[in-house]
C-alpha cells in the first residue's frame, strides 16, 4: 500500500484535533537539481510538479518541503493533497472518495485538512492538477469493479471516459480554458434544469465553480452573482446531506468576502465574513480576513482583537502568528510583535520571514547580539531571490564590523620607569 502516512505529521499543523493520532516521521528532503536554491520553496514546488506524473510519492516529498519553507502557499497545500492521493493504491483512492462511510480514517482526515487549509487561505486556488487526479479516480473505479482488467484495456477505458468529459467545465478549467469552462458549466446547469431528476444538491457546486472562473477572469460582478446562487444551493443541500470538511458554507461566505474586497467593497466584505462566522463560529479564516480589513481601515486595536480570535482557534499556524506580528508592529508594540514572531519561527523552523522581522526589531532597539543572531538565521534560511536578503547581509556586515572594533584588544600602557 502506498499511502502517504507522513502527512499525519503535517496534519497536526493544519488540524490540531488530530494531535492524539499516531504519526509517522516527516518525509526526508529530496535532492533537487544541483544548481537549484535549496532555500527556495518554488524550487521544491517545481520538483514536485516534475515528479507528479511518474513518481507521485517523490512529488509528495517535494511539495511537503516546499510547504515547510513557505507555509503560506495555498497552491502548495492543494498540490500536496493531490499528489498524496495520486500516491495511493487504486483501492485506497477508491476508499478515500467513498463518502458513504460515517467515520473517516485519520490519514484521510489529514489529507482533507490540506484542502480545507488551502481553501481557507485562498478559496480561489487554481486546481491545475485535477486532470491526473480524475484519471486516477477513473482507474480506481474500473479496477474496483473489474480487478482482472489489463493495463491496455484500462488505459483505453480511461481515455474513453475522459473523452466524454471533454466539454465539461471542470476539465476546461483545469486546462486553463476559461471561456470553455463557463460554457461547460452552463450546459451542465441547463441539462439539469431540463431533467426530471432532483439535482438541486449539486447545483451549488456548479455555481461555485463558475464563480471561481469569473474570479480568475477578473469579473467580480458575475463571480458575486454565481457565489450568491451557490450559497443558496448549499443551504438546501445541508438540510439533507453530510457536509464535507472543505465544502462548508462558511468557506463560501469567505470567498464572497474576498470577491467584495477585490471589488473594493470593504463593507460588503465585512458582512460576508461576519456571515461566515454565523455559519461556523470556529472558522478562523474569517477572523483573519476581518483583521486585515480592520488594519486597512487603520484600526489596529480591532485588527488585533480579530487576529487574537483567529489564533485562539488555530494556535499552531505560523502564518497567523506572522500576520499578528505585522499588526503589532503597526501598533508600535514591538515586544508583542517579537513574541508572535518567535512563535511563528518555532512552529515553522524553515520559515525565514519571521527571522528578518525579529532582526529588524532587535536592530532598531540596539540589541546588537540578537540582531546579529536573527540576521544570520534569516540569511541561512532565505531564498537567494528574497528581496530582504541584501538588507540583511548589509546590516549583518556592519554590525559584525562594529562588534569587532569594540572588542579589539587595546595597546598595553607603557611601564612607568622605576623611581631611583
Amino acid at each position: 500500500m502506498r499511502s502517504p502516512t507522513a502527512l499525519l505529521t503535517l496534519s497536526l499543523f493544519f488540524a490540531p484535533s488530530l494531535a492524539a493520532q499516531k504519526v509517522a516521521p516527516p518525509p526526508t528532503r529530496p535532492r533537487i537539481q544541483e544548481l537549484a536554491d535549496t532555500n527556495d520553496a518554488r524550487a521544491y514546488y517545481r520538483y514536485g510538479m516534475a515528479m507528479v506524473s511518474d513518481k507521485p510519492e517523490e512529488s509528495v516529498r517535494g511539495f511537503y518541503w516546499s510547504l515547510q519553507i513557505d507555509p503560506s502557499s495555498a497552491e502548495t497545500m492543494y498540490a500536496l493533497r493531490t499528489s498524496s492521493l495520486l500516491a495511493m493504491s487504486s483501492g485506497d483512492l477508491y476508499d478515500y472518495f467513498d463518502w458513504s462511510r460515517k467515520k473517516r480514517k485519520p490519514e484521510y482526515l489529514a489529507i482533507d485538512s490540506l484542502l480545507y487549509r488551502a481553501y481557507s487561505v485562498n478559496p480561489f486556488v487554481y486546481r491545475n492538477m485535477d486532470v491526473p487526479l480524475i484519471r486516477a479516480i477513473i482507474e480506481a473505479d474500473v479496477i474496483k469493479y473489474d480487478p482482472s482488467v489489463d493495463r491496455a484495456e484500462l488505459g483505453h477505458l480511461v481515455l474513453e471516459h475522459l473523452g466524454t468529459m471533454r466539454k465539461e467545465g471542470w476539465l476546461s478549467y483545469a486546462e486553463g480554458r476559461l471561456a470553455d469552462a463557463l460554457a461547460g458549466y452552463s450546459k451542465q446547469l441547463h441539462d439539469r434544469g431540463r431533467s426530471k431528476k432532483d439535482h438541486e444538491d449539486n447545483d451549488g457546486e456548479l455555481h461555485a465553480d463558475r464563480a471561481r472562473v469569473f474570479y480568475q477572469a477578473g469579473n467580480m460582478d458575475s463571480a458575486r452573482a454565481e457565489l450568491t446562487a451557490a450559497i443558496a444551493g448549499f443551504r438546501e443541500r445541508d438540510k439533507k446531506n453530510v457536509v464535507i470538511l472543505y465544502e462548508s458554507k462558511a468557506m463560501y461566505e469567505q470567498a464572497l468576502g474576498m470577491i467584495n474586497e477585490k471589488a473594493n467593497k470593504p463593507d460588503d466584505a465585512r458582512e460576508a465574513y461576519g456571515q461566515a462566522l454565523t455559519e461556523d463560529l470556529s472558522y478562523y479564516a474569517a477572523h483573519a480576513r476581518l483583521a486585515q480589513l480592520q488594519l486597512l481601515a487603520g484600526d489596529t486595536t480591532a485588527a488585533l482583537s480579530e487576529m487574537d480570535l483567529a489564533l485562539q482557534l488555530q494556535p499552531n499556524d505560523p502564518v497567523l502568528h506572522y500576520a499578528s506580528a505585522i499588526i503589532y508592529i503597526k501598533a508600535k508594540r514591538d515586544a508583542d510583535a517579537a513574541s508572535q514572531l518567535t512563535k511563528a519561527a518555532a512552529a515553522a523552523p524553515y520559515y525565514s520571514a519571521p527571522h528578518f522581522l525579529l532582526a529588524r526589531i532587535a536592530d532598531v532597539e540596539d540589541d546588537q547580539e540578537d540582531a546579529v543572531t536573527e540576521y544570520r538565521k534569516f540569511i541561512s534560511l532565505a531564498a537567494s531571490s528574497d528581496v530582504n536578503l541584501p538588507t540583511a547581509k548589509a546590516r549583518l556586515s556592519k554590525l559584525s564590523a562594529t562588534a569587532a572594533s569594540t572588542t579589539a584588544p587595546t595597546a598595553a600602557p607603557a611601564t612607568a620607569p622605576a623611581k631611583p
Side-chain angles (χ1 to χ4, degrees):
M1 181 175 74
R2 298 179 299 162
S3 180
T5 54
L7 283 179
L8 284 177
T9 299
L10 189 62
S11 75
L12 303 189
F13 173 72
F14 295 112
S17 61
L18 296 178
Q21 301 291 346
K22 184 178 179 180
V23 298
T28 56
R29 188 185 290 225
R31 293 180 178 273
I32 55 178
Q33 294 177 358
E34 187 174 334
L35 298 178
D37 182 356
T38 55
N39 282 346
D40 189 349
R42 298 300 300 177
Y44 288 98
Y45 180 86
R46 289 191 292 271
Y47 176 85
M49 291 299 293
M51 293 292 169
V52 73
S53 295
D54 298 326
K55 297 180 179 180
E57 301 94 337
E58 194 67 16
S59 73
V60 168
R61 294 206 298 150
F63 294 134
Y64 175 90
W65 279 97
S66 177
L67 202 55
Q68 294 300 298
I69 297 169
D70 178 12
S72 69
S73 174
E75 179 184 36
T76 307
M77 295 170 200
Y78 156 73
L80 179 53
R81 182 257 187 178
T82 306
S83 63
S84 299
L85 295 176
L86 290 172
M88 287 182 172
S89 66
S90 62
D92 289 335
L93 186 62
Y94 184 91
D95 190 39
Y96 175 84
F97 284 103
D98 181 5
W99 294 100
S100 65
R101 295 175 179 267
K102 291 184 178 181
K103 187 175 181 180
R104 299 283 277 169
K105 294 180 179 179
E107 58 267 35
Y108 294 173
L109 287 173
I111 297 174
D112 289 347
S113 73
L114 282 167
L115 192 56
Y116 174 80
R117 172 63 176 156
Y119 281 156
S120 297
V121 174
N122 179 14
F124 302 100
V125 63
Y126 181 45
R127 297 179 56 158
N128 61 324
M129 294 169 63
D130 278 5
V131 176
L133 178 57
I134 293 296
R135 182 188 296 271
I137 292 171
I138 295 170
E139 286 187 1
D141 285 344
V142 173
I143 293 171
K144 176 69 176 180
Y145 292 101
D146 185 6
S148 64
V149 64
D150 61 48
R151 295 303 303 177
E153 179 63 15
L154 179 62
H156 173 74
L157 290 172
V158 170
L159 287 176
E160 184 178 51
H161 201 83
L162 280 173
T164 65
M165 298 179 173
R166 186 63 189 169
K167 293 185 178 180
E168 290 188 12
W170 72 268
L171 183 58
S172 299
Y173 178 68
E175 293 178 345
R177 296 179 286 113
L178 300 188
D180 290 343
L182 288 174
Y185 288 134
S186 293
K187 185 177 185 305
Q188 286 175 267
L189 285 167
H190 179 265
D191 290 346
R192 286 178 179 176
R194 295 178 60 187
S195 172
K196 294 181 181 180
K197 294 182 179 179
D198 180 12
H199 291 287
E200 186 177 38
D201 292 340
N202 300 316
D203 286 354
E205 187 57 41
L206 286 174
H207 284 295
D209 286 337
R210 280 177 58 81
R212 292 185 182 101
V213 178
F214 281 123
Y215 185 89
Q216 296 287 355
N219 187 337
M220 295 301 109
D221 288 339
S222 294
R224 186 185 302 106
E226 291 291 345
L227 203 51
T228 300
I231 292 170
F234 292 139
R235 293 190 196 284
E236 293 300 318
R237 174 204 65 182
D238 292 356
K239 295 176 183 177
K240 307 173 184 179
N241 299 325
V242 175
V243 180
I244 299 172
L245 176 67
Y246 47 81
E247 288 185 357
S248 69
K249 292 193 297 297
M251 189 167 288
Y252 288 107
E253 291 285 1
Q254 177 204 357
L256 185 59
M258 291 176 65
I259 288 172
N260 287 322
E261 277 195 68
K262 199 163 186 177
N264 198 27
K265 295 183 177 183
D267 291 340
D268 290 343
R270 193 174 291 107
E271 181 180 352
Y273 297 140
Q275 185 59 43
L277 291 169
T278 299
E279 296 288 349
D280 182 357
L281 286 173
S282 68
Y283 191 61
Y284 72 94
H287 285 299
R289 298 301 307 187
L290 282 168
Q292 295 305 316
L293 281 176
Q294 299 290 8
L295 182 61
L296 287 173
D299 190 343
T300 54
T301 301
L304 287 170
S305 177
E306 291 292 347
M307 190 58 74
D308 182 62
L309 290 169
L311 281 166
Q312 288 179 38
L313 294 166
Q314 197 77 358
N316 298 323
D317 190 325
V319 179
L320 287 183
H321 284 298
Y322 183 82
S324 179
I326 297 294
I327 302 174
Y328 276 119
I329 290 172
K330 296 284 186 182
K332 302 186 185 303
R333 294 170 57 179
D334 286 0
D336 290 319
S339 175
Q340 292 297 320
L341 291 167
T342 300
K343 291 176 181 178
Y350 299 94
Y351 187 24
S352 65
H355 295 284
F356 180 74
L357 288 186
L358 280 168
R360 297 300 286 170
I361 290 172
D363 207 347
V364 167
E365 295 179 352
D366 293 324
D367 186 341
Q368 183 172 306
E369 183 178 353
D370 280 357
V372 167
T373 298
E374 292 299 335
Y375 278 132
R376 284 176 175 164
K377 188 66 174 177
F378 170 73
I379 291 168
S380 72
L381 294 173
S384 59
S385 59
D386 194 306
V387 295
N388 293 317
L389 194 56
T391 299
K393 288 182 175 180
R395 287 302 300 157
L396 178 61
S397 177
K398 186 170 184 177
L399 290 171
S400 298
T402 301
S405 65
T406 57
T407 58
T410 56
T415 302
K419 291 183 179 181

